[in-house]
Amino acid sequence: MMRFLFLGICMMMAFTGCKKKRTPSPPEAVQLVFPEQNSECTTGLSLGQETSQVEFRWSTADNTETYELRVTNTSTGTVQTIASSSNSAKLPLAKGEQFSWIVRSKNNQVDQTVSSEVWNFYNSGSRTTFAPFPANNVSPASSENVFKDINNEVTLSWTASDLDNDIVSYEVYFSVEAIPVDLIRTLQPTVNSIKVSVTADTVYYWSIIVIDAEGNKSNSGIYNFRVL
């Protein structure tokens, strides 16, 4: 009897030892909720003449233990971060300034992190006019591999927004240099795409400067793509 019991325990231990340990799943990206993209946030709690406290909200992400909110003043480059175990967090921000924000999802069981989209907004203040929000690329996506058309061209397209609705032009910079300094075209605000000549097996870099009626400018940042 003891012999059979001993054999049973050994078989159970062997079976348990052969079971594969489940690999933890990486976190998923959140969907941003508030402040809304390309908007003026008017709900901040005033903390004085220069600062208000803004509450950020986003969706819950699967396989996520904590969230890191990252808010950047687009004029000064100053970055504020705060960790949260829920899908909201509050930060004090300068009034009348433009900001961008993202949320990074984290899980202590894996090394991977994932970031949300980048949204832009103005924190309400005494400002009566607004600089344009940075343009967002539509196509090609950043770091995308693309094919040229029969004319050896690729179409660049983007979207842009301004709270004053007074965008007057776009400056398109495009080159094979990592920082594109070649201004290839200045376009009217009704035109948000352009065809560019390309060569196969080459990486290209491009950016868009948005200009409004008062001469305010915003820079999209640098996008890149590879032509196959």
Side-chain angles (χ1 to χ4, degrees):
M1 181 68 180
M2 292 296 295
R3 180 181 178 184
F4 288 116
L5 180 60
F6 177 76
L7 289 174
I9 294 174
C10 290
M11 292 177 64
M12 184 178 297
M13 292 177 64
F15 176 77
T16 303
C18 290
K19 291 178 67 177
K20 293 183 179 180
K21 184 179 292 185
R22 184 178 178 182
T23 302
S25 299
E28 297 187 3
V30 306
Q31 299 294 318
L32 303 183
V33 175
F34 186 86
E36 296 178 352
Q37 168 74 313
N38 295 343
S39 68
E40 182 183 14
C41 177
T42 60
T43 62
L45 175 65
S46 179
L47 301 177
Q49 292 185 346
E50 299 181 353
T51 309
S52 61
Q53 182 172 265
V54 175
E55 182 177 12
F56 295 82
R57 301 194 301 272
W58 55 89
S59 67
T60 301
D62 291 338
N63 309 317
T64 300
E65 295 179 346
T66 59
Y67 305 96
E68 181 186 80
L69 169 65
R70 183 182 181 92
V71 182
T72 303
N73 185 314
T74 55
S75 297
T76 65
T78 302
V79 178
Q80 294 175 259
T81 61
I82 186 172
S84 175
S85 58
S86 66
N87 58 345
S88 67
K90 298 178 180 179
L91 281 176
L93 302 177
K95 293 181 178 180
E97 295 288 336
Q98 186 185 115
F99 295 89
S100 66
W101 67 292
I102 65 170
V103 174
R104 183 174 291 117
S105 304
K106 296 184 175 183
N107 185 328
N108 291 330
Q109 295 181 319
V110 296
D111 293 331
Q112 302 100 309
T113 63
V114 62
S115 296
S116 67
E117 295 180 341
V118 179
W119 278 13
N120 298 280
F121 71 97
Y122 268 100
N123 189 25
S124 181
S126 58
R127 181 185 293 269
T128 57
T129 62
F130 301 88
F133 290 109
N136 295 310
N137 71 315
V138 174
S139 178
S142 195
S143 302
E144 183 180 4
N145 294 324
V146 302
F147 292 97
K148 58 185 179 178
D149 63 20
I150 60 174
N151 297 315
N152 294 320
E153 293 179 324
V154 167
T155 299
L156 310 179
S157 62
W158 60 90
T159 61
S161 177
D162 188 307
L163 290 177
D164 300 319
N165 293 318
D166 64 347
I167 295 174
V168 295
S169 63
Y170 302 116
E171 292 181 349
V172 183
Y173 291 81
F174 177 76
S175 73
V176 294
E177 303 298 328
I179 300 178
V181 295
D182 297 334
L183 174 62
I184 61 169
R185 191 76 62 82
T186 299
L187 301 172
Q188 297 298 310
T190 55
V191 180
N192 59 357
S193 66
I194 183 175
K195 289 189 174 184
V196 292
S197 297
V198 295
T199 303
D201 196 28
T202 305
V203 176
Y204 291 92
Y205 301 85
W206 62 292
S207 64
I208 304 294
I209 304 296
V210 186
I211 306 173
D212 69 11
E214 298 186 5
N216 298 311
K217 298 182 179 182
S218 66
N219 191 324
S220 67
I222 299 172
Y223 304 111
N224 69 84
F225 62 92
R226 176 183 290 274
V227 181
L228 298 177

